[in-house]
Amino acid sequence: MILYYDTKTGNVQRFIDKVVQITGWTAIRIQKDMQIEEEGHLVTFTTNFGQIPALTEDFATKNNAKLYSVTSSGNRNWGRNFGVAGDKVASLFEIPLAFKFELSGTMEDINQFIDIIKNQYYDSKRGSKKLDIA
């Protein structure tokens, strides 16, 4: 399992580190102009009260055909804009939204994310609405 992720303040990094520690999955921080060879799941953050980070958008534009799902972090203080970058990526690139978590996530969030990725989407065909439970 490969997780491609974007982080700015370290919240997504901390979330990813915990997931990798529990699962042993591979995590790769996305870089400018990055093209991926292997399919995986995207984890990103929401910026500017509801925007997709520029690096995430560029990455998804170039690699959306190889992304199984998107997960986003956010802050519940943003109200309806909580984790909305995930909604926007899902809509723009027709990638299922897997999960949203606040800041760096709780252990419950981490376990729920792992369960969703491992049990609900591991072998599913892309475009499945099965994951739209966030």
Side-chain angles (χ1 to χ4, degrees), residues 33-77:
D33 299 322
M34 185 175 180
Q35 295 277 190
I36 61 174
E37 297 291 320
E38 297 182 65
E39 290 87 0
H41 302 270
L42 174 61
V43 182
T44 191
F45 62 97
T46 300
T47 192
N48 294 332
F49 301 100
Q51 299 303 310
I52 303 170
L55 185 59
T56 296
E57 189 165 1
D58 180 63
F59 176 81
T61 299
K62 290 178 174 71
N63 298 289
N64 66 77
K66 293 184 178 177
L67 297 174
Y68 291 138
S69 72
V70 60
T71 291
S72 62
S73 74
N75 188 318
R76 292 195 190 280
N77 291 340

Side-chain angles (χ1 to χ4, degrees), residues 3 13 16 21 45 55 59 61 79 81 93 104 111 118 121:
L3 305 174
Q13 180 73 60
I16 290 291
Q21 182 179 18
F45 62 97
L55 185 59
F59 176 81
T61 299
N81 286 331
F93 301 104
S104 60
N111 289 327
K118 191 163 64 172
Y121 200 64

